[in-house]
């Protein structure tokens, strides 16, 4: 069938302004649509991913110094022995961050000495031999830290940490082939992987959710520490209450800044992800709607300003469906032009997001689906005015001068 | 040979009423007429008498309320919209007072419009476009836009477009209405040339000079053909009608 594309294109070339503007709008909408859908997909995936830790019975006490006379190392060991002796406590440790909350640190690990080769970024946590038990994380290979390997906090000195434990996910990222156990990674000093544990969500700082490295050092360089406590089932709130009071009164120069249960941390993380997803969906839906309005408006304008031409086409033999096709093809040309530009834009934005926000590389299936969806709704938007054009009677060819 | 066998256009008691909320306009009142194949007929009559209505119905641009209409031996009174489009495309060539060229398309593409709707192959279309532009003397202007041509030239392009599909019937509504008399004569020459090649021509015109050049004159007044005798083959002198445009 001879779709009248060439004459349509030459007509478009003579009056390009409106079509170009709408094509630009299509391009921007497509770029936002595709990347927003990709981000939403990641967020939903995060909501569906298991935390991998016992969030039900675990809470955090945040202790911070009120003056620089606060002896952090002494306070940490004092608090730990109090907590470990407290009725209802199953395990307790001191850490540098809180899982699921965005509070914590991250580390760059290299596969070769001298910080050469591939750099793998991961969240880091530091805690002692009770850390795994407190989180409810299980050892899959190798061993836990021994008490004599734990480096207490020393002001002004960054503990070297010669042994580390990694999650299964990080082990695979570091060593996609073969076992990571016993291998050495480099970040400041060489570190030997002595244990691999089940995946759990670390502090969630933008690195892949399960990639966490654990150091056998106790924290304190920021003037405080997090006490992570796991209780026996059902005892969480009572223990939290009691521990907060005791520790709040125990240190002359230190205070309990706040407490948080991991159950609420998980809820907050999920609702943050959900809110981002909802916001993106709303913004994108609005942009798509405005884009459809653009196509609708352009087609309506073209139909309105070409009434006599349409009548002439009808007089010369165009069927109603030829008129509909005419305007749908015209819309499709604008959409195709916009989609072409929009694809480039979408990939550029996707690359930028990958580089700056640790978003996985844009899946091209999303781009393809975005093009199809936007073209589809765009054609639907053009359909109504195209249909109205088809109903213009052929007699306007002779009746309008 | 009977008349009906050779009739290109035969209308019997055609009525057309335009209805608006307030008034009914009886544009045609049981109008009957016949145009034989190969004839050149000029239609005249006062303004508002129903000439355009007649031509629109003849060209299947409008439907009518009562009566029957046979075009080239086929009853076309009740056809689907698609079938009417197809007959317009294949059997009829229109020439409009306002030329009705598509301003965004060059001359070549303008003449191409009806041929594309006919789903003709490109080489065949090119051949027809070139030969019809040749006939109207505008083969050298194929890449021009309508706005780059004079009114007379634009109307010649419209004539090329009307004949490119080799129609049996040419319908022209005041084709010279927007042109000076010199241009008008040129257009008339072309229509005569086309008629001489065997195409039936029905021309609505206010211009008595042009009307006289037609084989036969038909007068429509108040929605009816004024004198049934005008159905005869002989050219008739235009009867004096008060309010007639001439
Ligand atoms: N779409 C319409 N709606 C209502 N009335 C109409 C319509 N078209 C034509 N008429 C009326 O029908 C009558 C015949 O109109 P028509 O256009 O056929 O006249 P005409 O002979 O071509 O006139 P003119 O010489 O001015 O072109 C007129 O009274 C006109 O007002
Ligand atoms: Mg008229």
């Amino acid at each position: 069938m001879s779709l009248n594309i060439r004459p349509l294109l030459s007509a478009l070339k003579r009056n390009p302004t409106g079509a170009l503007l709408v094509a630009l709008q299509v391009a921007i909408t497509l770029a936002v649509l595709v990347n927003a859908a990709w981000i939403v997909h990641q967020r939903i995936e995060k909501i569906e991913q298991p935390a991998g830790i016992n969030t039900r019975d675990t809470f955090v006490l945040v202790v911070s110094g009120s003056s620089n006379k606060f002896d952090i190392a002494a306070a940490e060991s004092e608090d730990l022995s109090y907590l470990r002796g407290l009725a209802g406590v199953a395990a307790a440790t001191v850490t540098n961050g809180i899982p699921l909350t965005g509070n914590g640190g991250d580390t760059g690990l290299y596969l070769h000495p001298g910080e050469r080769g591939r750099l793998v970024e991961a969240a880091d946590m530091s805690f002692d031999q009770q850390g795994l038990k407190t989180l409810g994380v299980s050892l899959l290979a190798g061993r836990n830290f021994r008490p004599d390997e734990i480096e207490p906090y020393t002001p002004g000195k960054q503990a070297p940490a010669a042994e580390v434990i990694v999650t299964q996910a990080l082990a695979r990222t570091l060593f996609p082939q073969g076992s990571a156990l016993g291998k050495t990674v480099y970040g400041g000093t060489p570190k030997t992987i002595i244990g691999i544990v089940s995946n759990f969500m670390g502090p969630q700082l933008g690195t892949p959710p399960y990639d966490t490295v654990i150091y056998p050092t106790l924290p304190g360089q920021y003037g405080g520490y997090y006490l992570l406590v796991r209780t026996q089932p059902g005892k969480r709130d009572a223990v939290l209450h009691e521990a907060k009071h005791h520790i709040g009164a125990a240190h002359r120069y230190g205070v309990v800044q706040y407490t948080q249960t991991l159950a609420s941390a998980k809820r907050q993380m999920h609702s943050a992800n959900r809110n981002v997803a909802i916001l993106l969906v709303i913004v994108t839906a609005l942009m798509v709607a405005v884009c459809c309005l653009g196509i609708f408006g352009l087609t309506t304008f073209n139909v309105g300003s070409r009434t006599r031409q349409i009548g002439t086409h009808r007089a010369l033999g165009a069927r109603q469906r030829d008129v509909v096709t005419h305007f749908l093809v015209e819309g499709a040309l604008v959409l195709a032009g916009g989609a072409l530009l929009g694809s480039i834009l979408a990939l550029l934005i996707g690359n930028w997001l990958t580089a700056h926000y640790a978003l996985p590389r844009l899946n091209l299936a999303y781009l393809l689906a975005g093009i199809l969806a936007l073209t589809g709704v765009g054609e639907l938007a053009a359909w109504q005015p195209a249909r109205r054009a088809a109903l213009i009677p052929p007699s306007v060819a002779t009746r309008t001068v | 040979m009977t008349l009906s066998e050779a009739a290109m256009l035969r209308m019997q008691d055609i009525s057309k009423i335009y209805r608006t909320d307030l008034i009914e306009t009886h544009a045609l009142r049981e109008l009957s007429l016949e145009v034989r194949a190969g004839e050149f007929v000029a239609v005249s009559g006062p303004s508002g008498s129903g000439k355009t209505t007649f031509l629109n119905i003849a060209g299947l641009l409008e439907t009518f309320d009562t009566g029957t209409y046979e075009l080239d031996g086929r009853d076309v009174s009740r056809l689907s919209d698609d079938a009417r489009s197809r007959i317009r495309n294949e059997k009829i060539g229109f020439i409009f007072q306002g030329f009705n060229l598509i301003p965004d398309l060059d001359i070549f593409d303008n003449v191409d419009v009806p041929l594309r709707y006919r789903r003709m192959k490109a080489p065949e279309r090119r051949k027809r476009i070139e030969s019809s532009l040749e006939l109207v003397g505008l083969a050298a202007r194929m890449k021009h836009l309508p706005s780059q041509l004079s009114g007379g030239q634009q109307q010649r392009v419209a004539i090329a477009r009307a004949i490119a599909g080799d129609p049996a019937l040419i319908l022209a509504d005041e084709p010279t209405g927007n042109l000076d008399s010199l241009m008008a004569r040129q257009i008339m020459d072309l229509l005569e040339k086309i008629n001489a090649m065997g195409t039936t021509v029905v021309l609505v015109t206010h211009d008595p000079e042009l009307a006289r050049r037609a084989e036969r004159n038909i007068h429509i007044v108040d929605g009816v053909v004024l004198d049934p005798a005008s159905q005869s083959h002989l050219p008739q002198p235009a009867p004096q009608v008060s309010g007639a445009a001439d």
Side-chain angles (χ1 to χ4, degrees):
Chain A
M1 197 179 94
S2 74
L3 277 177
N4 304 333
I5 288 183
R6 198 188 52 77
L8 258 175
L9 269 177
S10 62
L12 268 181
K13 248 188 281 167
R14 298 219 165 81
N15 276 312
T17 321
L20 278 183
L21 283 177
V22 175
L24 197 64
Q25 192 186 18
V26 170
I28 294 168
T29 306
L30 179 69
V32 172
L33 170 70
V34 168
N35 283 289
W38 184 235
I39 293 172
V40 166
H41 169 85
Q42 306 302 324
R43 296 286 170 150
I44 290 174
E45 225 171 38
K46 264 193 185 158
I47 290 172
E48 284 170 353
Q49 279 169 338
I53 51 184
N54 179 335
T55 50
R56 193 191 56 190
D57 304 318
T58 312
F59 68 85
V60 178
L61 275 162
V62 183
V63 179
S64 94
S66 55
S67 109
N68 53 12
K69 291 187 193 129
F70 186 43
D71 182 346
I72 291 176
E76 283 174 354
S77 75
E78 195 181 309
D79 290 347
L80 279 180
S81 42
Y82 159 73
L83 287 168
R84 285 168 182 166
L86 187 62
V89 170
T93 194
V94 54
T95 86
N96 66 327
I98 312 177
L100 314 178
T101 60
N103 284 331
D106 55 8
T107 300
L109 297 174
Y110 291 86
L111 293 170
H112 297 286
E115 318 222 312
R116 283 181 301 107
R118 192 159 61 93
L119 169 69
V120 172
E121 298 205 48
D124 67 53
M125 290 195 73
S126 35
F127 48 62
D128 64 11
Q129 69 284 353
Q130 278 209 14
L132 297 181
K133 190 181 175 198
T134 312
L135 288 171
V137 170
S138 45
L139 193 64
L140 301 177
R143 61 173 180 84
N144 192 359
F145 299 129
R146 288 191 308 263
D148 62 285
E149 285 168 338
I150 309 299
E151 295 274 349
Y153 172 64
T154 315
K157 178 176 168 246
Q158 184 84 30
E163 294 88 16
V164 295
I165 293 174
V166 297
T167 58
Q168 195 182 22
L170 181 57
R172 191 150 301 149
T173 312
L174 287 167
F175 301 100
Q177 279 107 27
S179 167
L181 196 63
K183 299 262 167 52
T184 305
V185 290
Y186 302 86
T189 54
K191 302 162 199 307
T192 307
I193 297 171
I194 59 154
I196 296 173
V197 293
S198 58
N199 286 335
F200 69 94
M201 287 193 178
Q204 304 300 299
L205 297 161
T207 49
Y210 293 121
D211 284 8
T212 300
V213 56
I214 303 160
Y215 299 125
T217 56
L218 298 188
Q221 63 265 44
Y222 300 114
Y225 50 90
Y226 300 99
L227 290 163
L228 191 61
V229 184
R230 174 164 164 208
T231 68
Q232 282 144 11
K235 303 263 175 68
R236 185 193 67 189
D237 293 345
V239 171
L240 174 72
H241 188 74
E242 192 175 342
K244 186 179 164 187
H245 274 276
H246 177 89
I247 291 170
H251 307 300
R252 178 141 184 229
Y253 298 113
V255 295
V256 174
Q257 210 173 32
Y258 67 92
T259 64
Q260 183 173 27
T261 65
L262 287 196
S264 87
K266 185 174 160 189
R267 266 197 310 277
Q268 275 172 23
M269 178 183 76
H270 282 183
S271 80
N273 284 331
R274 199 167 41 238
N275 289 346
V276 168
I278 290 171
L279 185 76
L280 283 176
V281 166
I282 290 173
V283 168
T284 312
L286 281 177
M287 283 191 74
V288 169
V290 170
C291 183
C292 284
L293 268 183
I295 298 270
F296 176 85
L298 181 69
T299 313
T300 302
F301 174 80
N302 284 341
V303 170
S305 58
R306 295 187 207 153
T307 306
R308 191 162 74 125
Q309 280 183 44
I310 295 164
T312 304
H313 276 278
R314 293 279 281 130
L316 298 177
R319 296 163 301 176
Q320 293 194 337
R321 86 183 79 123
D322 293 324
V323 176
V324 173
T325 307
H326 177 103
F327 285 100
L328 289 187
V329 171
E330 200 170 78
L333 287 175
V334 173
L335 284 162
L340 198 71
L341 184 64
S343 300
I344 297 168
L345 211 58
L347 291 173
L348 288 177
I349 293 177
N351 280 350
W352 186 80
L353 287 172
T354 305
H356 288 81
Y357 291 96
L359 193 72
R361 185 162 293 279
L362 178 64
N363 185 337
L364 288 185
Y366 273 67
L367 182 58
L368 205 69
I371 291 172
L372 288 179
L374 197 58
T375 311
V377 295
E379 286 289 85
L380 273 184
W383 192 81
Q384 197 269 345
R387 186 69 216 146
R388 250 186 307 127
L391 296 177
I392 290 173
S395 60
V396 303
T398 53
R399 295 284 185 199
T400 2
V401 181
Chain B
M1 184 176 86
T2 63
L3 266 180
S4 61
E5 271 169 338
M8 172 58 61
L9 181 159
R10 184 201 272 163
M11 288 185 176
Q12 203 82 52
D13 301 327
I14 297 279
S15 297
K16 174 72 180 179
I17 304 172
Y18 291 108
R19 291 188 176 84
T20 60
D21 290 341
L22 291 176
I23 46 162
E24 286 188 352
T25 309
H26 292 255
L28 297 182
R29 305 167 191 265
E30 304 194 332
L31 174 141
S32 299
L33 69 78
E34 221 172 279
V35 175
R36 286 170 299 117
E39 229 182 340
F40 191 135
V41 171
V43 178
S44 51
S47 183
S49 58
K51 303 181 297 295
T52 296
T53 307
F54 154 69
L55 211 68
N56 278 358
I57 289 173
L60 303 186
L61 296 178
E62 284 182 57
T63 54
F64 47 91
D65 298 297
T66 60
T68 56
Y69 172 25
E70 270 174 43
L71 176 66
D72 204 9
R74 178 178 178 194
D75 185 354
V76 293
S77 308
R78 263 166 290 279
L79 288 178
S80 69
D81 194 79
D82 280 3
R84 295 159 65 81
S85 300
R86 185 167 172 169
I87 292 176
R88 284 198 294 271
N89 182 245
E90 292 179 356
K91 283 214 156 46
I92 301 170
F94 287 97
I95 302 166
F96 308 94
Q97 180 173 357
F99 321 138
N100 288 29
L101 298 179
I102 310 300
D104 293 330
L105 298 181
D106 65 23
I107 298 319
F108 183 95
D109 286 339
N110 261 288
V111 179
D112 199 13
V113 168
L115 305 183
R116 278 180 183 268
Y117 287 126
R118 205 142 159 191
R119 311 257 180 277
M120 260 178 206
K121 296 266 172 289
E124 170 73 5
R125 298 205 317 261
R126 169 164 292 277
K127 210 177 76 196
R128 283 171 179 251
I129 296 164
E130 282 168 358
S131 73
S132 27
L133 282 172
E134 199 98 31
L135 187 94
V136 302
L138 287 171
R141 303 297 189 98
M142 272 188 303
K143 292 294 148 206
H144 285 65
L145 286 177
S147 58
Q148 296 166 321
L149 301 183
S150 74
Q153 288 172 325
Q154 289 188 44
Q155 194 59 300
R156 275 150 61 198
V157 173
I159 291 174
R161 180 175 69 182
I163 61 171
D166 206 7
L169 175 64
I170 294 276
L171 299 174
D173 193 356
E174 310 264 14
T176 59
N178 291 358
L179 303 175
D180 64 37
S181 57
L182 209 69
M183 292 282 194
R185 255 171 254 147
Q186 249 182 46
I187 297 298
M188 194 63 188
D189 287 349
L190 266 178
L191 290 177
E192 279 175 343
K193 196 157 132 192
I194 291 160
N195 177 245
M197 296 188 298
T199 310
T200 312
V201 177
V202 176
L203 163 75
V204 169
T205 181
H206 276 121
D207 185 337
E209 183 201 324
L210 297 186
R212 263 196 297 279
R213 288 171 62 173
E215 230 175 288
R216 179 157 66 102
N217 279 352
I218 292 175
H219 297 274
I220 295 180
V221 174
D222 207 10
V224 290
V225 175
L226 184 67
D227 179 5
S230 70
Q231 296 277 40
S232 93
H233 306 171
L234 296 168
Q236 308 257 321
Q240 289 305 300
V241 178
S242 65
D246 53 333

